Amino acid sequence: LQCIIIIDTSWKWGDVKMKTGGKRKSVYLSTENSEENEFNMSPKRKRSKTENNNSYKHDAEICMKMNLKEMGVGLLPTSDNEDEESDSETGVQLLSDRTDESSLDSLPLKSPTSHIKQADIVMITPPEQLLSYKSRRSVKNSCKLDIFSILSDEIVLMILQWLPRRTLSVCAMVCQRWRRVVYDESLWERIDLTNQVLRSDQVGYVLQRNPTILRMSQVEVVSPLFKDIASTMEDFLCHVQYLDLSMALISPKDLAELLGKCRDLKKLSLEHCITDTNVCLSIAANTELEVLNMSQCYQLDVAGLEEILVNCTELLELNLAWTKLDSDCIDVVCKLVNENIRQLNLSGCLKFMKDSHVKELVSRCSCITQLDLSDCTELTELSLEAISKHLCDIEQLSFSRCYNILPNKYVKLVNIKSLQYLNIFGLMHSDQLDTYRQTFRSVQINEQEFSTIARPTVGIRRTSIWGLRVRD
């Protein structure tokens, strides 16, 4: 690398060029007096011109030093002898012992402008110093000070909490301290794994972070659930309280093993999953369970359902819609379900649900506020009478497609003052619905086509489960 300065001695403005790829910078240089006819000048004008030349010379030196300092080169002190020697030669002097003839050919011996009579090309900084020059970026990168080592773990934790989960997993591989801080439970309170394919042991790694809210809806879990970390997961229990496994592709064995690691569940969704007896036993171990969604589950039998209802005495919301319950399962539900339950969905029981079941249910559980008995085709107006008699706090009632109940029999529900929503889809024409809307002025008819009982997500809210945010 070579730094070359071309000084035009016949003009007051010169060009400073950097052969290191820098831009051309115009620098004001002081030169000798021009060949202007001074005899025509007045003494006052000559004196002012001399003062201006001196000030120009002083300003030019300061400006030149500042510009050359910014470009990373040093200005050598000049002397009169050097100027005389450079003038006596061919107009070019190179102060470098290491420059060979090939390099002289590459130098611009001629001025880039035609009006320059004579130019001095001077090597300002030796090549050794130019090669050792470092840019500002390289100087910053060479700084080995770890800023995070000055900060406490609490401050670093506050910084890391703004990063997404994927970035946190990368930060855990920086060093042991970062791994310890990143694995703090406060950073993994909410985890969303929707639509992910989880290989063996990945679910175990997630559970070891002890999240409070875990969403695993529509995930595909590769069997076996625990492989390399099976020994460390034998006695491990996580602290998950809100778990969504709706429509997850997971084997019953792995599902039972996963739920077996949970003991503090409060809300659980297993919609469209296979729930055999072992899975039900794992669910029953969570005695503080309040909300359970088992809509459209398969292989649900009497023994498993009984274990859940006997042990989970805190249930307030239960969804058993379209689980193919037979008469024995319905009997277990009506006899063992929590008396203080608030919301219950038993739709899709078809011909197995009888009026006697409804009467026993509402007489025990008089605190029900939402009841869905849609598609129970064997129910009659006797069920309406039992509901109007026992459920004084009912707010939402669904009897869609219950074809054995005549349309004019729903008038018996007028006496329920707390009723706000009535769903009777597939039973009346639009004219009859208008008549009922006039009769039930304070009741909204057929406003909610789908039940929301115990469901983790409702409507377009896809970033939360049961009203709790799962994404940052």
Side-chain angles (χ1 to χ4, degrees), residues 113-386:
T113 57
S114 60
H115 61 272
I116 297 178
K117 297 179 180 180
Q118 187 177 4
D120 294 337
I121 304 177
V122 182
M123 177 65 69
I124 299 299
T125 305
E128 295 82 1
Q129 297 184 15
L130 288 175
L131 293 176
S132 62
Y133 169 71
K134 293 184 179 181
S135 63
R136 294 180 179 179
R137 182 175 299 178
S138 62
V139 172
K140 289 183 179 180
N141 294 336
S142 62
C143 182
K144 298 182 179 180
L145 177 62
D146 184 8
I147 300 178
F148 283 90
S149 62
I150 306 175
L151 303 177
S152 62
D153 292 348
E154 291 76 11
I155 301 299
V156 176
L157 197 62
M158 294 176 63
I159 298 174
L160 295 178
Q161 70 180 356
W162 296 98
L163 298 179
R165 302 294 177 267
R166 187 181 297 274
T167 307
L168 285 177
S169 61
V170 177
C171 293
M173 297 183 290
V174 174
C175 60
Q176 292 183 358
R177 185 195 178 213
W178 279 46
R179 182 184 181 90
R180 175 174 52 81
V181 175
V182 167
Y183 279 178
D184 190 87
E185 295 181 3
S186 61
L187 296 178
W188 303 92
E189 185 179 357
R190 302 181 301 270
I191 299 180
D192 187 5
L193 301 174
T194 305
N195 296 322
Q196 300 293 326
V197 178
L198 303 177
R199 298 186 297 272
S200 299
D201 296 332
Q202 286 188 341
V203 177
Y205 294 140
V206 172
L207 295 179
Q208 287 177 354
R209 303 284 71 78
N210 277 325
T212 303
I213 306 171
L214 179 57
R215 185 181 185 186
M216 297 176 60
S217 60
Q218 302 180 21
V219 300
E220 181 180 354
V221 181
V222 179
S223 187
L225 187 65
F226 307 128
K227 187 177 180 180
D228 297 334
I229 61 172
S231 58
T232 60
M233 296 297 295
E234 288 182 358
D235 300 329
F236 176 79
L237 294 176
C238 64
H239 302 292
V240 179
Q241 297 182 6
Y242 306 91
L243 178 59
D244 182 11
L245 285 166
S246 301
M247 292 177 284
L249 297 177
I250 182 172
S251 64
K253 179 181 178 181
D254 293 337
L255 180 58
E257 191 173 5
L258 171 59
L259 295 177
K261 303 300 178 182
C262 304
R263 290 292 185 272
D264 301 325
L265 287 176
K266 292 184 178 180
K267 296 183 180 182
L268 174 64
S269 178
L270 299 174
E271 185 171 344
H272 210 279
C273 294
I274 300 177
T275 54
D276 56 8
T277 305
N278 294 328
V279 175
C280 292
L281 291 175
S282 299
I283 298 173
N286 297 270
T287 57
E288 297 181 358
L289 191 63
E290 298 177 357
V291 177
L292 178 59
N293 179 24
M294 300 182 68
S295 175
Q296 303 179 34
C297 287
Y298 305 99
Q299 301 182 13
L300 183 61
D301 54 7
V302 178
L305 189 58
E306 185 176 358
E307 286 292 332
I308 295 175
L309 297 177
V310 169
N311 293 280
C312 300
T313 57
E314 303 290 333
L315 273 177
L316 298 177
E317 298 182 22
L318 178 62
N319 192 338
L320 296 174
W322 296 98
T323 51
K324 298 181 180 180
L325 299 178
D326 54 12
S327 299
D328 296 334
C329 292
I330 296 175
D331 289 336
V332 170
V333 173
C334 295
K335 293 179 181 179
L336 300 178
V337 71
N338 181 24
E339 295 181 357
N340 297 321
I341 194 168
R342 298 289 182 176
Q343 301 179 16
L344 181 62
N345 189 344
L346 295 175
S347 60
C349 292
L350 301 176
K351 61 181 181 180
F352 298 104
M353 176 68 74
K354 306 295 183 180
D355 292 329
S356 59
H357 294 143
V358 176
K359 184 177 180 180
E360 182 179 6
L361 176 65
V362 298
S363 61
R364 288 185 62 253
C365 308
S366 58
C367 298
I368 294 178
T369 58
Q370 294 186 25
L371 180 62
D372 191 345
L373 296 174
S374 302
D375 297 288
C376 296
T377 56
E378 295 297 320
L379 297 181
T380 63
E381 60 185 55
L382 297 177
S383 297
L384 297 178
E385 295 176 357

Side-chain angles (χ1 to χ4, degrees), residues 383-392 412-413 415-416:
S383 297
L384 297 178
E385 295 176 357
I387 291 173
S388 60
K389 180 179 179 181
H390 296 282
L391 300 183
C392 300
K412 297 180 179 181
L413 301 176
N415 298 328
I416 305 177

